Amino acid sequence: MAKKKKSVRREWTKEDIKELKAHSKARTPVVRIAKMTKRTKGALRQKAIVLGIGLGHQR
């Protein structure tokens, strides 16, 4: 049986939030932001909701 990888929570630094806001303004795809920041898409979306900003492509 495969072992589950334990998730490690990282705090959001001021630099992380600044970077997320910049990506929001530039409309960078969420998948690309996730790879660059090494965070999940869900974590990015949740933080964006808390900050009141949009992420990725909006229709």
Side-chain angles (χ1 to χ4, degrees):
M1 192 162 152
K3 290 185 181 181
K4 270 194 171 181
K5 187 176 179 183
K6 184 165 171 104
S7 62
V8 178
R9 292 180 183 234
R10 287 188 294 134
E11 293 294 319
W12 285 87
T13 63
K14 287 183 180 181
E15 291 81 30
D16 291 339
I17 292 170
K18 196 180 219 181
E19 186 179 1
L20 186 62
K21 286 182 179 181
H23 284 298
S24 172
K25 205 169 240 186
R27 297 202 184 270
T28 308
V30 179
V31 175
R32 191 177 300 161
I33 301 170
K35 286 181 183 176
M36 286 189 284
T37 59
K38 294 190 174 111
R39 293 183 186 269
T40 63
K41 293 185 291 185
L44 294 170
R45 290 193 188 280
Q46 284 292 5
K47 191 62 176 179
I49 289 168
V50 170
L51 295 173
I53 60 175
L55 269 190
H57 177 73
Q58 287 90 20
R59 291 185 182 212

